[in-house]
Amino acid sequence: MPPHLVLCLLLVLLAVLWSSCEAATAGTKPLLLSLRARQMPARALPRQPSKLRFHHNVSLTVSLAVGTPPQNVTMVLDTGSELSWLLCAPSSGEGSRNASTTTFRPRASASFAAVPCASPQCRSRDLPSPPACDGASQRCQVSLSYADGSSSDGALATDVFAVGSSAAAGAPPLRAAFGCMSSAFDSSPDGVASAGLLGMNRGALSFVSQASTRRFSYCISDRDDAGVLLLGHSDLPTFLPLNYTPLYQPARPLPYFDRVAYSVQLLGIRVGAKHLPIPASVLAPDHTGAGQTMVDSGTQFTFLLGDAYAAVKAEFLRQTRPLPLLRALGDEEPGFAFQEAFDTCFRVPRGRAPPAARLPRVTLLFNGAEMAVGGDRLLYKVPGERRGGGDAVWCLTFGNADLVPIMAYVIGHHHQMNLWVEYDLERGRVGLAPVRCDVASERLGLML
């Protein structure tokens, strides 16, 4: 065959393959879920040791359908945890009076299955506490630890999960492993209860890994009902100017480095226009792995290690001292710390609000991207705290990790509000772009 005919045939073949790929890509729609900010009861959720327990905790929740027939459940979205779990109703009449609509009923699901000890899922090395085997039942047991030192036990199980728009589109449900937790948790009438937690880190048993999702993103709104979670690859966020920072992974395993977390490189911190003179060694993990920077949707506020926090505190106090409505509480009560970690606090006159527009922004600088926290996201009104004639207490939403203590920088979801956050596992990076979430949700709804 003449060379020019061979070349023509190759070009035709490439064109056919390209159009087929485009058609396949176009036919794969991402899954779209509503992301809500909910006030949670103090003991509604179990916490891993690295998690913080807030008396007035706000969590991000998504709604899923689990089991056959499907049971609607509300789960907390947590990029800092691996194992998803559901609070399961008792299997017998004993204790059933404690069951509520927030529990999952495994006996009512025809597709529910316990995970046996011999299963590879029962040998996961990514969980903080490795699974154990119940010798009598030969079922795989898991344990979650609370921040107060108590723990909750349950069994590893599998069932089918129908997520967001996938159910409406008729897509087959995903069979995934999760913890079927048997412990009862306190609830309160003023909180929105949750049936469990959706683990979204990079561990083998996370929902992301089990669903083979190589990219997901979300936008956390400052309004409860305008957030969005997008699972899967999509070109929809192209209207956003995303800046990417690479995920950080040490060359070799380190004892205190969480290798399945979404870790990025923190290069510097700026308060207002002032670039803080923090040594690079303070912002980077040390030889043990302690000091990594994690993006965590399961933690409310942001925590900085002691030296970095001290620099931010000093500069923030210096720049806000001229503001008439703010009186540094530390001048009067040096020992006050909200939730034992937030001690950059102020007195604000009764009936007034902090001058949000005049507060200096706190900007976290990464390799290739930055996260600027300003306005009303900088100060949090401490519930129940009053001084003098009724002055309210407001605290900076950056906490001292050394006081908790945790050995890492943790970027919480409060500082991710109105920010498009994309987790791109294919290319090992996190993308950030400021955006109004209600506008983004509207655009996505129209485009889908």
Side-chain angles (χ1 to χ4, degrees), residues 252-383:
R252 57 188 178 84
L254 298 174
Y256 295 111
F257 189 93
D258 185 350
R259 63 184 181 84
V260 294
Y262 296 104
S263 294
V264 294
Q265 292 178 285
L266 181 60
L267 301 183
I269 303 176
R270 194 169 59 236
V271 177
K274 173 73 172 178
H275 194 290
L276 302 181
I278 305 173
S281 59
V282 170
L283 302 175
D286 64 18
H287 65 284
T288 70
Q292 70 189 105
T293 300
M294 300 183 289
V295 184
D296 185 3
S297 69
T299 295
Q300 185 174 359
F301 298 123
T302 293
F303 294 85
L304 308 174
L305 291 178
D307 290 345
Y309 174 79
V312 170
K313 175 181 179 178
E315 185 60 26
F316 192 85
L317 288 173
R318 187 189 70 81
Q319 293 190 31
T320 56
R321 197 165 293 279
L323 300 181
L325 289 180
L326 296 181
R327 291 171 53 189
L329 189 62
D331 295 341
E332 307 167 10
E333 302 178 43
F336 178 81
F338 168 57
Q339 296 293 345
E340 301 180 356
F342 301 86
D343 62 358
T344 307
C345 301
F346 304 87
R347 286 180 60 166
V348 177
R350 182 177 183 177
R352 305 293 296 272
R358 299 181 63 186
L359 297 175
R361 288 191 169 203
V362 178
T363 305
L364 305 178
L365 307 173
F366 308 108
N367 181 11
E370 63 180 44
M371 182 182 293
V373 180
D376 55 10
R377 288 182 296 154
L378 282 166
L379 296 180
Y380 176 80
K381 187 178 182 180
V382 180

Side-chain angles (χ1 to χ4, degrees), residues 35-111:
L35 187 62
R36 297 175 181 271
R38 302 287 186 90
Q39 183 118 347
M40 307 300 292
R43 286 288 306 279
L45 302 175
R47 295 288 184 186
Q48 296 179 7
S50 60
K51 295 290 176 185
L52 299 177
R53 183 169 155 262
F54 291 97
H55 295 297
H56 299 273
N57 186 44
V58 173
S59 294
L60 305 173
T61 63
V62 294
S63 295
L64 297 86
V66 183
T68 307
Q71 301 176 39
N72 294 324
V73 297
T74 298
M75 303 180 77
V76 170
L77 180 75
D78 191 356
T79 60
S81 292
E82 175 180 5
L83 183 65
S84 300
W85 60 264
L86 289 168
L87 181 59
C88 289
S91 57
S92 65
E94 178 68 23
S96 60
R97 63 184 180 276
N98 294 324
S100 70
T101 56
T102 62
T103 58
F104 176 70
R105 302 179 303 282
R107 288 173 66 88
S109 173
S111 49

